[in-house]
Amino acid sequence: MFKKYYILISCLLGLAKAFAQDAGLHGKVLTAQGAPLPGVKILITPGHHVVTSGPSGNFSVAGLKAGEFVITATRAGYREKKIPVVIPGAGVEIVMHKRITELEEVVVKDNHITTRKNEESLNLDVIKTDFIRQHLGGSLMKTLERLPGVKTIGIGSGQSKPLIRGMGFNRVAVIDNGIKHEGQQWGADHGLEIDQFAAGEIELVKGAASFIYGSDAIAGTINVLPPPPPGPNTMGGSIELIGKTNNNLYGGSANFYARNKKWMADGRVTYQNYADYRVPADTVYVYSYAAGLHKNFLRNTAGRESGLHLSTGYLGEHFRSLFYISNVYSKSGFFANAHGLEPRRVNNALHDRSSRDILHPSQEVNHFKVINKSSLQTGLHLLEMELGYQRNFRQEFNQYVNHGYMPPVYPDTLGIPAALERQFDKHVYSLNFRDNFTAGKHRITAGLNAEYQDNKIGGWSFLVPSFNQHTAGIFLYDKITLNDRFLLHAAMRYDYGRLAMQRYDDWFPSSIEQDGETTTKRLTRAENLARTFHSWVWSAGVNYNADHFNAKFNIGKSFRMPIATELSANGVNYHYFSYEKGDPSLAPEQSYQADLSLGWTSGRLSVQVSPFINFFPNYIYLNPTSAHDYNYGAGNQVFQYAQSRVFRYGGEIQARYQVFECLSGEVSGEYLHAEQLSGNKKGYTLPFSPPPSALFNITWQPGQGKVFRKNYCSLDYRVTGAQNNIVPPEKKTPGYQVFNFQAGSRIAVGRHEVQVNLQVQNLLNTRYLNHTSFYRLIELPEQGRNIVLSLKVPFKLKD
């Protein structure tokens, strides 16, 4: 009898020991129809373990102690589901039910944005498609300019490039469908070839994100995500129309999608056509020349854009693979009085003949992409891969202008069209790979990036040589959940890059005096040059998330390798009336930064404050010198790429107060201070440093009825301070105040909702100068009043 009790007690002790050890939890998420449901956030408490269901709906968590837990499952468009579980135990099956949005008084809450922000250690904004439609600008970057900390270098009314906290060009990485978008980012007059109608959500990271995306993410990233795949066994689409009064723009975008259980296809076509835009001025001054404007139009700023997009692929239980194919084309003019031509040489009668003419100077850009995104869920590992090919083909057209020893009459034997000033042809091959897995309290991502670029040049004018570039990097990123409130971040990355510039000789001979004798020869403007760069970067951070208060702190080191322009430029940049020279000895940029974010949400009030500091031991910038080049630069001032120590600090603030259920107010502001601590411009700021600004908004959202839903009426009041801290040849810019108005509604038509959005930009037709505008140097004001009307009509053929 004693032996039997002894065996029973031993078994019970062994069972208790097994229960005390780490155990695991696995399960599957299904729709109400029994189909696997991927992308569901699974929160396990206590302990704050978070995983996401894979393509087959499966999920698993290891390293849990035995005991009682609660699973909370959330996904956009579905009701939140909470299930108590006991570990160890059998597998869990979670059935998610769709939210019914057609019924009155049903509030649909989507907390995936809050979850994403709470888990990110850097300053993160998530922009939804509704925001893009409500604030449509001339380009996607112009649309994002409403956010604090984001500015643009505007290039007319249809092109722009982003600045994040005062830094842009190759310091901001734009990610499209998982692949780094590669155009000609170095040029201030080169816009971003992204179709904003094709964008899904956008994740904006303010602060260095080099440990994930490598070099070029030293200021931040703009991650353009694709729209989510259509639901199983659905077919439909949408038609969008847009019109603008300032530049008489008309255009639209049409989308069609179809999916059975596992295969899907989604296509989109976009077209926009716009005329010269208008400013509240009848004369502008290009340096010392007065240029009259015909009916307030900026001659030759018209353009047209088109985009073709196709996505298709397989969505299986454990494996999914999608292809994204796109082709974005644009043709646009440059303001004829400001592109290397004196106003007295502009044929006003010709340029003023039609507001839709695109004459010289102008540019044509075609950007083609093929991207494959694949993922495989195997056990505890989620393997993700992106493969990409891009071709950016840019041509700049202008009338032939000789300078130095260039022949006065363009030779017809050169083999280059007389109007082709410059040509850039870039081919890019990209690879990203990541392994995501959970080990106890650790959520680990290990990955690598690799990219190859081949850049060729053409045209009769030289600025940058042909080059090819290899880059590669490996990284390890760990999120450590300490408890329900604390989350730690740690990341390490190693980058390697090799840049090889090719020799360029003038196509015309120059006279050279040597030892008292004059000879003629074709001068070498760029030598063969190969440089290799490598660096370790790191990042560490902590998140604290309580009921009403959240805080983030992140420190890290970033890296950016010099680009071909900075190393080997040697020619006239007509856009800025400058002669630019590179420095082959430049070292790669290193940056040390600290970001803090503090947020408070309680009842009707929410406040977010995000200060930062940033130090560059060797910032690269284009330094204006006292020299002028008369032999090859037509007398233009010489600008030399140089390096200096730079210290920067600033931050953003956002506050929102819900006055009544239908009335809310919001204020956001930004401030940046930058100072060079060494070099020829010691004590000066950096080029394109935006002045402080604040945005005050009041929004009225009346109750929705059976026909008119999600109604809103909004007024923005933008106050921008003067920018007196400049780097010559920049000019001081006075402050200004601008009003913008927005309104919209979703109109129920049968089972569908027609979305209507109205904007009045620059409501009072205010004349003001934007310090970061491409045309700021010639005192050109921003565009006048602009009424924007957009309409989106969705349709479903199969639901």
Side-chain angles (χ1 to χ4, degrees):
M1 180 66 68
F2 176 77
K3 184 176 182 180
K4 290 182 180 180
Y5 280 113
Y6 175 79
I7 295 174
L8 179 60
I9 293 173
S10 299
C11 291
L12 291 174
L13 289 174
L15 185 61
K17 184 179 180 181
F19 268 71
Q21 293 176 347
D22 289 352
L25 173 69
H26 66 277
K28 188 169 187 176
V29 187
L30 303 173
T31 66
Q33 292 74 33
L37 187 60
V40 178
K41 292 285 186 182
I42 309 294
L43 171 65
I44 302 169
T45 54
H48 199 80
H49 298 273
V50 180
V51 294
T52 303
S53 63
S56 60
N58 292 325
F59 68 91
S60 60
V61 181
L64 298 174
K65 297 293 185 181
E68 296 181 354
F69 294 83
V70 175
I71 293 178
T72 303
T74 57
R75 188 183 190 276
Y78 288 81
R79 298 176 185 171
E80 182 180 277
K81 190 70 171 285
K82 290 191 176 184
I83 299 176
V85 295
V86 177
I87 298 177
V92 179
E93 183 176 279
I94 304 175
V95 179
M96 303 286 286
H97 296 270
K98 283 188 175 182
R99 294 185 182 274
I100 303 174
T101 59
E102 290 78 14
L103 296 178
E104 293 186 40
E105 300 179 0
V106 174
V107 179
V108 181
K109 293 184 178 180
D110 181 0
N111 65 354
H112 84 283
I113 293 179
T114 302
T115 302
R116 180 76 176 90
K117 287 184 175 182
N118 288 343
E119 294 181 355
E120 175 59 60
S121 64
L122 292 170
N123 194 297
L124 172 71
D125 284 313
V126 180
I127 297 94
K128 305 181 76 172
T129 54
D130 283 350
F131 178 95
I132 297 175
R133 297 299 182 267
Q134 292 176 16
H135 303 282
L136 274 175
S139 64
L140 179 59
M141 297 304 107
K142 198 68 178 177
T143 300
L144 299 182
E145 195 174 30
R146 191 179 183 277
L147 302 171
V150 180
K151 289 289 179 283
T152 63
I153 300 175
I155 311 159
S157 61
Q159 304 286 327
S160 62
K161 60 194 318 124
L163 296 172
I164 296 180
R165 291 176 170 173
M167 293 193 295
F169 302 94
N170 285 71
R171 295 181 180 91
V172 173
V174 177
I175 312 300
D176 185 22
N177 289 318
I179 293 293
K180 188 190 298 182
H181 178 87
E182 293 285 2
Q184 303 293 335
Q185 298 99 310
W186 54 270
D189 58 321
H190 300 160
L192 201 62
E193 305 86 1
I194 298 287
D195 182 357
Q196 59 183 327
F197 289 99
E201 280 187 357
I202 298 173
E203 292 186 347
L204 170 66
V205 175
K206 290 177 282 189
S210 294
F211 69 89
I212 292 293
Y213 300 108
S215 183
D216 290 5
I218 204 166
T221 61
I222 298 173
N223 189 8
V224 182
L225 303 173
N233 302 310
T234 59
M235 182 183 297
S238 65
I239 297 174
E240 299 182 59
L241 301 174
I242 185 172
K244 300 181 181 181
T245 59
N246 183 276
N247 59 352
N248 297 319
L249 178 145
Y250 64 86
S253 186
N255 163 249
F256 180 80
Y257 64 83
R259 178 182 171 181
N260 58 20
K261 186 176 181 180
K262 295 184 178 181
W263 292 91
M264 60 82 65
D266 191 327
R268 177 177 293 275
V269 57
T270 299
Y271 178 78
Q272 293 187 101
N273 188 302
Y274 53 91
D276 299 340
Y277 73 96
R278 286 170 285 187
V279 296
D282 55 13
T283 304
V284 296
Y285 293 88
V286 184
Y287 298 96
S288 59
Y289 298 100
L293 302 180
H294 177 64
K295 297 181 180 180
N296 303 104
F297 284 103
L298 292 182
R299 54 182 63 94
N300 201 47
T301 55
R304 58 178 180 267
E305 303 173 7
S306 62
L308 295 173
H309 308 267
L310 173 65
S311 58
T312 184
Y314 176 80
L315 302 169
E317 293 184 2
H318 300 281
F319 174 73
R320 59 169 51 192
S321 182
L322 296 175
F323 283 89
Y324 299 91
I325 305 171
S326 65
N327 192 83
V328 176
Y329 167 83
S330 69
K331 180 178 181 179
S332 58
F334 291 103
F335 177 40
N337 294 102
H339 189 83
L341 298 176
E342 297 176 358
R344 63 190 177 191
R345 297 178 60 185
V346 172
N347 187 333
N348 290 353
L350 176 65
H351 280 90
D352 294 338
R353 181 179 58 188
S354 170
S355 63
R356 291 194 179 272
D357 283 346
I358 305 175
L359 306 174
H360 294 159
S362 64
Q363 61 179 347
E364 291 187 45
V365 188
N366 197 88
H367 198 102
F368 175 75
K369 288 180 185 173
V370 179
I371 298 172
N372 174 258
K373 291 171 63 73
S374 297
S375 65
L376 174 65
Q377 183 78 49
T378 169
L380 297 178
H381 294 263
L382 174 62
L383 306 178
E384 298 175 299
M385 183 175 67
E386 290 102 20
L387 294 171
Y389 166 75
Q390 305 173 65
R391 185 192 181 193
N392 184 277
F393 186 65
R394 176 182 294 273
Q395 292 181 307
E396 299 179 5
F397 300 96
N398 201 355
Q399 66 186 60
Y400 174 69
V401 179
N402 68 305
H403 50 78
Y405 295 98
M406 296 172 66
V409 178
Y410 188 78
D412 56 7
T413 58
L414 189 59
I416 300 173
L420 183 58
E421 179 185 357
R422 292 196 184 106
Q423 177 177 291
F424 303 98
D425 191 4
K426 173 183 282 191
H427 297 257
V428 184
Y429 305 85
S430 306
L431 164 68
N432 299 327
F433 178 80
R434 296 175 301 279
D435 181 8
N436 307 275
F437 59 96
T438 301
K441 296 182 178 181
H442 299 264
R443 282 176 285 158
I444 300 173
T445 300
L448 62 88
N449 316 99
E451 183 181 272
Y452 171 73
Q453 294 186 23
D454 182 35
N455 297 260
K456 302 297 183 184
I457 64 168
W460 51 261
S461 177
F462 173 78
L463 179 60
V464 183
S466 298
F467 68 93
N468 58 62
Q469 176 177 298
H470 305 76
T471 57
I474 56 173
F475 67 90
L476 184 67
Y477 179 33
D478 187 10
K479 291 183 181 180
I480 308 167
T481 304
L482 297 182
N483 52 44
D484 293 346
R485 296 189 173 186
F486 281 97
L487 184 67
L488 298 181
H489 301 257
M492 182 71 73
R493 179 185 176 95
Y494 178 77
D495 275 295
Y496 171 86
R498 186 177 189 276
L499 185 59
M501 277 72 69
Q502 300 174 15
R503 173 172 171 162
Y504 179 88
D505 294 330
D506 280 336
W507 54 269
F508 56 90
S510 298
S511 297
I512 303 297
E513 288 191 11
Q514 190 173 18
D515 298 329
E517 296 184 1
T518 301
T519 60
T520 60
K521 62 182 294 187
R522 294 185 178 183
L523 296 182
T524 299
R525 305 286 287 280
E527 298 281 0
N528 287 324
L529 175 67
R531 294 285 308 276
T532 300
F533 308 96
H534 58 90
S535 178
W536 284 98
V537 299
W538 55 269
S539 178
V542 58
N543 289 39
Y544 175 78
N545 299 305
D547 294 334
H548 301 290
F549 176 73
N550 66 80
K552 302 179 184 181
F553 179 69
N554 181 271
I555 59 173
K557 175 195 174 187
S558 304
F559 156 82
R560 184 183 75 86
M561 58 183 283
I563 60 176
T565 312
E566 296 164 338
L567 296 171
S568 297
N570 190 6
V572 180
N573 188 340
Y574 292 102
H575 315 303
Y576 277 94
F577 297 90
S578 63
Y579 191 95
E580 297 183 5
K581 298 192 69 173
D583 182 352
S585 65
L586 291 175
E589 280 183 348
Q590 308 285 343
S591 171
Y592 299 88
Q593 68 281 331
D595 287 89
L596 176 66
S597 178
L598 302 173
W600 173 265
T601 301
S602 179
R604 298 180 176 183
L605 176 66
S606 63
V607 181
Q608 192 83 24
V609 182
S610 306
F612 72 91
I613 58 173
N614 188 199
F615 174 68
F616 285 86
N618 49 2
Y619 187 90
I620 300 173
Y621 70 104
L622 191 57
N623 177 39
T625 71
S626 59
H628 291 75
D629 192 297
Y630 292 95
N631 289 330
Y632 310 104
N636 285 295
Q637 185 178 7
V638 175
F639 286 66
Q640 175 77 53
Y641 280 99
Q643 289 187 293
S644 68
R645 295 194 306 275
V646 171
F647 181 68
R648 306 167 68 250
Y649 65 85
E652 302 85 38
I653 183 171
Q654 293 174 282
R656 187 176 186 275
Y657 185 72
Q658 193 74 35
V659 183
F660 304 111
E661 185 177 354
C662 63
L663 184 67
S664 63
E666 184 178 355
V667 60
S668 61
E670 58 191 344
Y671 175 79
L672 169 68
H673 177 84
E675 182 178 354
Q676 299 186 43
L677 304 180
S678 65
N680 294 333
K681 294 298 183 292
K682 181 179 179 180
Y684 284 95
T685 186
L686 292 173
F688 292 111
S689 291
S693 68
L695 178 70
F696 300 88
N697 168 268
I698 185 168
T699 299
W700 179 52
Q701 295 176 297
Q704 63 181 21
K706 293 184 178 180
V707 177
F708 296 96
R709 305 170 180 175
K710 294 188 178 181
N711 311 299
Y712 70 92
C713 184
S714 177
L715 181 67
D716 287 345
Y717 172 50
R718 168 80 70 180
V719 181
T720 301
Q723 181 55 286
N724 297 319
N725 189 13
I726 61 170
V727 185
E730 286 185 334
K731 298 181 180 181
K732 294 181 179 180
T733 303
Y736 59 87
Q737 303 173 39
V738 176
F739 287 91
N740 298 305
F741 174 79
Q742 305 93 25
S745 179
R746 294 193 178 187
I747 305 171
V749 180
R751 299 171 56 210
H752 306 295
E753 287 184 342
V754 177
Q755 185 174 342
V756 181
N757 299 104
L758 171 70
Q759 291 184 74
V760 185
Q761 300 167 347
N762 194 358
L763 181 66
L764 302 182
N765 201 35
T766 303
R767 186 189 191 279
Y768 68 98
L769 299 173
N770 183 351
H771 188 73
T772 62
S773 170
F774 174 70
Y775 290 130
R776 167 65 189 95
L777 286 179
I778 62 168
E779 308 284 346
L780 188 62
E782 295 300 292
Q783 72 176 12
R785 184 184 298 111
N786 188 25
I787 301 174
V788 183
L789 180 64
S790 62
L791 178 72
K792 181 177 181 180
V793 183
F795 60 88
K796 289 185 179 180
L797 304 179
K798 183 180 179 182
D799 190 358

